Amino acid sequence: MRIATWNVNSVGARLPRLLSWLSSAKPDVLCLQELKCTTEAFPHNEVGELGYEVAAYGLGRWNGVAILSRAGIDEVTRGLVGEPTYDDTAEPRAIGATCGGVRVWSVYVPNGREPEHAHYGYKLRWLDALRATAEAELAADRPFAVLGDFNIAPTDEDVWDISAFENSTHVTEPERKALAMLRETGLSDVLPRALKYDRPYTYWDYRQLAFPKNRGMRIDLVYGNPSFASAVEDAYVDREERKGKGGSDHAPVVVDLTP
């Protein structure tokens, strides 16, 4: 079974590349983030022609998440346990579904903007809700994983130069502590191999030639419970999909599970 996650950075803008990647990589399940479209406006028909069922959750702004599956899709849940709001809005940042016996959540963790910004406090509260959701999900005896854009680099080695992130989000101690507490519920980090260079970065800024200079970050993560992690036979970052004109600033992370 092949399960992947990808911050597509606008499913409308990236639709030709999404359809091409689905046809070539052939994931059984794909978790998408940053749809930038409403639930109704998601291209259900186009991905459906490739054999995928869709559970989407979006408001048409800069967030939105979805799960695409050709292994069945059941028990769809939109939103987290005790999820906080921002500006009185419940943002569409998390969706869960059961696909072929595997329970997956596609998550788009808030960016946080700046450590002094109100959005940063919202990010930490949101991560608390994600932890509560994971704890509830772990009560069931089945493979389970949380996949998506976490907007946090777990360690200093997961950014190209830690000195470049001084006083910035994504690397602060409270964010990393929240991530560690999520793992402590019973999840482990499925570390992908890099297809080039020595670190499996998943995100490169569009500016200042960050991608060709490999000035990246590993912020797209896969956290799985023991039955999920023990079934992993391969995991990699599809860096090739980040290349070329019109790509997302994130690359897909692909995980292959044994039958």
Side-chain angles (χ1 to χ4, degrees):
M1 188 176 193
R2 171 164 287 184
I3 300 178
T5 181
W6 188 11
N7 178 324
V8 74
N9 189 13
S10 176
V11 70
R14 234 63 64 190
L15 183 57
R17 292 188 67 139
L18 171 62
L19 297 176
S20 176
W21 191 80
L22 288 171
S23 297
S24 60
K26 294 181 170 56
D28 297 292
V29 179
L30 175 61
C31 296
L32 291 177
Q33 302 87 42
E34 203 170 354
L35 303 181
K36 296 182 179 177
C37 72
T38 64
T39 301
E40 296 76 18
F42 189 91
H44 293 81
N45 292 338
E46 290 88 338
V47 300
E49 290 176 359
L50 297 178
Y52 289 90
E53 297 179 77
V54 177
Y57 182 30
L59 291 177
R61 302 175 71 183
W62 53 84
N63 38 49
V65 286
I67 298 172
L68 282 55
S69 175
R70 56 179 190 175
I73 192 162
D74 300 294
E75 301 176 283
V76 175
T77 306
R78 293 174 173 84
L80 303 174
V81 174
E83 185 174 334
T85 61
Y86 186 72
D87 284 345
D88 298 322
T89 300
E91 297 183 328
R93 293 183 173 274
I95 188 169
T98 304
C99 307
V102 179
R103 183 68 175 171
V104 298
W105 276 82
S106 176
V107 301
Y108 183 31
V109 177
N111 178 283
R113 301 181 187 174
E114 300 171 358
E116 298 78 19
H117 198 284
H119 206 257
Y120 181 82
Y122 165 62
K123 180 177 190 174
L124 297 180
R125 294 191 300 274
W126 198 94
L127 287 163
D128 286 341
L130 178 59
R131 184 179 72 252
T133 301
E135 289 174 339
E137 292 283 10
L138 285 162
D141 184 19
R142 57 184 172 184
F144 164 65
V146 182
L147 309 91
D149 179 358
F150 281 73
N151 271 313
I152 304 169
T155 71
D156 288 357
E157 288 70 36
D158 292 310
V159 297
W160 68 275
D161 181 359
I162 191 60
S163 67
F165 292 84
E166 187 175 358
N167 299 320
S168 298
T169 58
H170 294 63
V171 299
T172 66
E173 182 180 350
E175 291 169 285
R176 287 178 170 174
K177 181 179 179 181
L179 205 55
M181 292 176 68
L182 176 63
R183 292 193 298 270
E184 289 168 5
T185 63
L187 303 176
S188 60
D189 186 353
V190 177
L191 184 66
R193 58 184 172 89
L195 295 186
K196 188 177 182 181
Y197 303 108
D198 60 346
R199 294 299 301 175
Y201 297 144
T202 65
Y203 164 84
W204 300 261
D205 198 298
Y206 286 127
R207 300 166 295 180
Q208 299 179 330
L209 300 175
F211 182 65
K213 294 179 179 179
N214 200 37
R215 294 178 175 177
M217 306 172 69
R218 186 175 76 95
I219 57 176
D220 301 88
L221 310 174
V222 178
Y223 281 0
N225 70 350
S227 60
F228 182 95
S230 63
V232 175
E233 62 178 14
D234 192 18
Y236 65 92
V237 178
D238 190 353
R239 191 179 183 277
E240 294 298 306
E241 182 52 41
R242 176 61 175 79
K243 292 182 177 180
K245 185 177 180 181
S248 171
D249 45 3
H250 295 249
V253 179
V254 181
V255 178
D256 289 329
L257 305 179
T258 56

